[in-house]
Amino acid sequence: MERAAAAAGPAVEGGGVNRRAVRAASAAAGAGSRQPSTEALDSPTGSHVEWCKQLIAATISSQISGSVPSEGMSRDYREIQDGHNGYHSEAEPDQVALRDGNKLAQMEEAPLFPGESIKVIAKDVMYICPFMGAVSGTLTVTDFRMYIKSVERDPPFVVDVPLGVISRVEKIGVQSHGDNSCGIEIVCKDMRNLRLAYKQEEQNRLEIFENLVTRAFPVSNGLPLFAFSYKEKFAVNGWKVYDPIVEYKRQGLPNESWKISKINSTYELCDTYPAILVVPTSVKDDDLSKVAAFRAKGRVPVLSWIHPESQATITRCSQPSVGPNDKRCKEDEKYLQTIMDANAQSHKLIIFDARQNSVADTNKAKGGGYESESAYPNAELVFLEIHNIHVMRESLRKLKEIVYPTIDETRWLSNVDSTHWLEYIRMLLAGAVRIADKIESGKTSVVVHCSDGWDRTAQLTALAMLMLDSYYRTIKGFEVLIEKEWISFGHRFAMRVGHGDDDHADADRSPIFLQFIDCVWQMTKQFPAAFEFNELFLITILDHLYSCLFGTFLCNCEKERLKEEVSTKTVSLWSYINSQLDEFTNPFYVNYENHVLYPVASLNHLELWVNYYVRWNPRMRPQVPIHQNLKELLAIRTELQKKVEDLQREAATRSISSSSDRGSSPSHSATPVHTSV
């Protein structure tokens, strides 16, 4: 444990005998030492595991034949120069026969997942790569992906894009070589755009554009998301990862102050909350209903986490409906007093309002508001000044502009700064550190809310819990954290991501969950040995946030998932991940049990996550296969641990067999072997 503390920074005594506060001493390696992956050129094997490895590591692999053009963007990307014909719609049996007789078409055919079906095949479609120029190949559109493959190159050139990542599809027309060529521009949610070109006269006959739009936006076209058709079988059932009763029991609940309530079992108290809640023991159901009526969307203060020693708690909720006339609710006031009283070590309750003070005032004028210290005399209100979803969406848009398709090296740092993305990441981390510190050092219970309690609130509670509880820094624990604080407590994934919806301009879309994962990545950089999972784990989660391959991030709340039978009709992302844990394990992990992590929330210690945001640029590809090296280190670590265990057993055997002269010979010493790998 002492080695674990030293790995990340100096250890400072925390709230209990065995708990330590660990602060990051310095930033991790500079950006120059990191290089992201690129778009994959390899052909997927067809199996889910291999496909995912290729998608995550890259969409065009480092095995690009020929050198990358030296100019910032290929000329073909700026202007579609050529169109080709030869399109075939795969809808009739005779088309299958035609394809079977065409060796080239067979070689360029897309691999399929169980349950996936081909909708359109078009030959001689040109992919306008911004880095390599035009590549002609066969386009396949299925109900899950857009797949382009060219066997003219060695190795074959492949672009494999899940349709779920597509935000917008637009027709573009270009004059070239006397032909009226048609093109399609595809804007993606994962920081890249794609351009395709083909001859205009083929468009109506084959309906490439229409099929692409229909399959990319199934919800808008009355079709189910592909997750409901996906039939892959895994050895592990990911839907069993999170059981709220088990998780609350792990935290020591229920106890004399807190009870597990099923008042929301039919989602009547709050339709966006989970069925199982933890509330103060003394609160009656009638009073809880009155508190729900006073809180926005009925999202009453409920427990998220309790300190194992001080009993200080993190509770989450939405804003009170104070309004311009300073409306009060005695049940709500008494309820917060009860939360404070449940922690005997403090006579104060800290309310962290994630919003900007000015925005909270505006919300108050519209019927919302915040807790006044006159109505809540033992509470202290703190505004964290975090911007709203619209500001975050605009910040990500600016970030995409500077990272794809070209990077201005001469203005890189100033361009990143102008997006304010890292500043917003800093504010989230700083707010979470304040919450964690009040719990750990101040032994004071906190209430966290924003407006509705499902965006900034989830970011802050989940990050604070990650800092406070080492369990959430394991692979399973982090899955539980996401299931609990994000999925079950009603973060509006469908609305914020826009699964299957063609309304790309929807004002409700925002990269809230992406920001949270970015914050987690920043913590892994400052504490590289404190997390059991690696970077690939985080990128995999983000890629499947959009892919609609799994049911994990579908819908907006638990009630909707139950209605859509998500857990029985779709596969969990955790089934895939937990079936191959070696792929996602950090070989440097040391269990920081009972350690509290305090990351440095300073721009000097934060970095742009190049391996995620800039991974599509081949000029930023890794110089060495980092993920493969980590897997090799993990194998070496496992081998060494096995040797240590063998030596320990051998030492114990020798100790027992020669107990009579144990103290006379060093070779027969009973001192246990302690080796840290």
Side-chain angles (χ1 to χ4, degrees):
M1 184 178 296
E2 298 301 323
R3 292 172 63 88
V12 181
E13 289 300 327
V17 176
N18 294 321
R19 292 179 65 84
R20 296 182 181 274
V22 184
R23 299 181 184 274
S26 62
S33 64
R34 299 173 292 103
Q35 298 293 338
S37 48
T38 59
E39 297 180 77
L41 290 181
D42 314 68
S43 171
T45 65
S47 74
H48 178 81
V49 170
E50 289 303 318
W51 176 84
C52 255
K53 290 177 188 175
Q54 292 178 27
L55 174 66
I56 307 313
T59 304
I60 299 183
S61 109
S62 59
Q63 300 178 18
I64 295 177
S65 57
S67 61
V68 178
S70 59
E71 56 205 52
M73 186 193 307
S74 76
R75 183 182 174 193
D76 292 304
Y77 191 78
R78 299 190 196 99
E79 179 179 357
I80 300 176
Q81 293 187 326
D82 201 2
H84 297 268
N85 55 16
Y87 301 90
H88 300 278
S89 173
E90 187 187 66
E92 302 297 332
D94 61 330
Q95 180 61 50
V96 177
L98 174 63
R99 194 177 68 246
D100 288 344
N102 187 326
K103 185 176 181 180
L104 182 63
Q106 287 179 325
M107 293 172 65
E108 295 185 342
E109 191 172 306
L112 300 178
F113 287 156
E116 184 180 4
S117 60
I118 295 174
K119 303 304 175 184
V120 168
I121 291 180
K123 293 179 62 179
D124 298 322
V125 172
M126 186 174 290
Y127 168 58
I128 313 300
C129 177
F131 311 109
M132 300 175 55
V135 180
S136 182
T138 297
L139 167 69
T140 304
V141 177
T142 74
D143 46 3
F144 169 68
R145 77 184 85 200
M146 182 189 78
Y147 184 87
I148 302 171
K149 183 173 182 179
S150 173
V151 295
E152 296 175 359
R153 295 173 182 259
D154 186 21
F157 180 98
V158 169
V159 176
D160 193 350
V161 182
L163 298 179
V165 309
I166 296 177
S167 174
R168 185 169 78 250
V169 181
E170 294 182 348
K171 294 179 182 178
I172 52 177
V174 179
Q175 285 275 358
S176 66
H177 300 292
D179 293 328
N180 288 323
S181 295
C182 262
I184 298 176
E185 180 159 30
I186 300 167
V187 179
C188 298
K189 302 170 185 175
D190 60 356
M191 309 299 287
R192 57 177 162 165
N193 296 343
L194 307 170
R195 287 184 179 180
L196 310 177
Y198 50 92
K199 277 194 174 181
Q200 187 174 15
E201 59 264 25
E202 302 292 339
Q203 180 180 3
N204 293 332
R205 182 166 68 86
L206 294 165
E207 300 179 336
I208 298 172
F209 178 83
E210 288 75 10
N211 272 280
L212 192 58
V213 168
T214 299
R215 297 299 165 178
F217 310 116
V219 173
S220 298
N221 291 281
L223 298 172
L225 293 165
F226 179 72
F228 291 95
S229 301
Y230 180 49
K231 304 301 181 185
E232 189 92 18
K233 301 295 183 183
F234 293 99
V236 180
N237 183 358
W239 294 120
K240 294 183 178 180
V241 161
Y242 176 60
D243 181 330
I245 299 295
V246 172
E247 168 57 15
Y248 288 127
K249 184 178 180 180
R250 185 192 68 84
Q251 295 187 30
L253 299 166
N255 60 23
E256 61 181 13
S257 300
W258 295 90
K259 66 181 179 182
I260 294 176
S261 172
K262 296 186 178 179
I263 185 176
N264 199 42
S265 59
T266 58
Y267 307 103
E268 291 183 3
L269 179 74
C270 175
D271 61 1
T272 61
Y273 261 3
I276 295 174
L277 305 171
V278 174
V279 299
T281 304
S282 60
V283 174
K284 298 178 181 178
D285 287 355
D286 288 345
D287 290 340
L288 201 57
S289 297
K290 293 177 181 177
V291 174
F294 186 64
R295 292 279 166 173
K297 306 292 193 298
R299 295 173 68 91
V300 301
V302 293
L303 183 143
S304 282
W305 190 80
I306 185 168
H307 194 285
E309 296 163 6
S310 70
Q311 302 296 294
T313 58
I314 297 176
T315 54
R316 59 180 294 171
C317 59
S318 61
Q319 65 180 337
S321 302
V322 175
N325 298 323
D326 292 318
K327 178 183 175 183
R328 295 178 61 170
C329 173
K330 64 179 182 179
E331 289 81 10
D332 190 80
E333 295 165 16
K334 181 181 178 182
Y335 187 86
L336 291 195
Q337 180 67 37
T338 304
I339 291 175
M340 188 199 74
D341 292 340
N343 174 16
Q345 298 200 39
S346 177
H347 300 289
K348 179 180 281 191
L349 183 69
I350 309 296
I351 301 174
F352 285 101
D353 191 324
R355 300 169 293 181
Q356 295 171 289
N357 196 337
S358 59
V359 173
D361 285 330
T362 302
N363 288 347
K364 182 179 178 182
K366 296 178 181 179
Y370 47 87
E371 297 83 354
S372 67
E373 295 184 10
S374 59
Y376 301 85
N378 294 317
E380 176 186 340
L381 180 64
V382 177
F383 288 101
L384 294 177
E385 303 293 328
I386 299 172
H387 295 268
N388 63 28
I389 63 170
H390 312 295
V391 173
M392 303 308 181
R393 180 178 61 249
E394 177 64 13
S395 177
L396 184 65
R397 184 193 66 78
K398 291 179 180 178
L399 181 61
K400 182 176 180 179
E401 283 185 352
I402 70 166
V403 302
Y404 192 93
T406 59
I407 294 173
D408 185 349
E409 298 288 353
T410 61
R411 297 182 177 86
W412 171 246
L413 294 177
S414 59
N415 283 344
V416 171
D417 182 62
S418 69
T419 69
H420 302 293
W421 184 257
L422 287 179
E423 172 62 17
Y424 299 144
I425 295 297
R426 183 201 66 78
M427 295 177 75
L428 286 171
L429 284 170
V433 166
R434 293 180 69 176
I435 293 169
D437 189 54
K438 283 295 180 185
I439 293 285
E440 178 65 25
S441 302
K443 300 179 176 60
T444 304
S445 294
V446 303
V447 174
V448 183
H449 71 71
C450 46
S451 297
D452 295 317
W454 51 44
D455 290 319
R456 287 164 286 190
T457 299
Q459 290 175 324
L460 292 166
T461 57
L463 286 171
M465 291 160 66
L466 194 65
M467 296 172 190
L468 289 163
D469 194 333
S470 61
Y471 170 69
Y472 297 126
R473 302 194 286 267
T474 66
I475 291 177
K476 181 182 178 183
F478 192 74
E479 293 168 353
V480 167
L481 182 66
I482 290 176
E483 287 281 349
K484 180 178 181 296
E485 289 301 295
W486 288 90
I487 296 172
S488 76
F489 271 102
H491 175 66
R492 308 174 86 180
F493 280 103
M495 188 167 287
R496 294 290 180 255
V497 176
H499 291 138
D501 190 342
D502 62 4
D503 187 7
H504 62 86
D506 187 348
D508 284 321
R509 295 196 186 181
S510 191
I512 301 301
F513 186 72
L514 168 59
Q515 284 186 314
F516 163 69
I517 297 294
D518 194 328
C519 288
V520 175
W521 179 81
Q522 301 289 345
M523 290 180 65
T524 66
K525 296 298 288 182
Q526 294 192 27
F527 302 96
F531 295 84
E532 186 184 20
F533 48 82
N534 59 22
E535 183 182 55
L536 179 62
F537 176 75
L538 298 177
I539 294 177
T540 300
I541 289 172
L542 288 179
D543 279 338
H544 290 298
L545 169 69
Y546 304 124
S547 74
C548 296
L549 184 64
F550 301 103
T552 302
F553 298 117
L554 302 187
C555 304
N556 291 310
C557 61
E558 188 175 284
K559 180 181 179 181
E560 285 185 15
R561 291 182 191 93
L562 194 65
K563 179 182 177 182
E564 298 295 330
E565 302 178 80
V566 169
S567 64
T568 57
K569 292 185 176 181
T570 71
V571 179
S572 168
L573 171 59
W574 317 132
S575 298
Y576 162 63
I577 287 178
N578 295 343
S579 295
Q580 45 170 349
L581 289 174
D582 284 354
E583 292 289 330
F584 306 105
T585 300
N586 173 17
F588 305 110
Y589 173 63
V590 180
N591 188 358
Y592 278 61
E593 189 174 5
N594 297 325
H595 281 63
V596 178
L597 305 184
Y598 289 132
V600 178
S602 164
L603 287 177
N604 292 335
H605 289 71
L606 302 181
E607 307 172 43
L608 183 70
W609 189 4
V610 176
N611 284 3
Y612 178 74
Y613 298 113
V614 203
R615 60 180 163 153
W616 309 119
N617 190 328
R619 293 175 188 82
M620 306 290 281
R621 76 170 64 101
Q623 298 300 310
V624 293
I626 297 173
H627 179 62
Q628 184 60 36
N629 288 356
L630 291 179
K631 286 183 65 178
E632 291 170 0
L633 286 173
L634 190 64
I636 293 171
R637 171 180 168 148
T638 302
E639 182 180 347
L640 291 175
Q641 285 175 331
K642 185 177 183 300
K643 289 182 179 179
V644 168
E645 292 168 1
D646 291 342
L647 289 171
Q648 288 175 330
R649 282 193 294 269
E650 182 181 342
T653 302
R654 289 183 179 181
S655 172
I656 294 172
S657 63
S658 58
S659 58
S660 60
D661 57 352
R662 182 184 307 171
S664 62
S665 173
S667 63
H668 293 159
S669 172
T671 304
V673 178
H674 294 290
T675 304
S676 178
V677 180

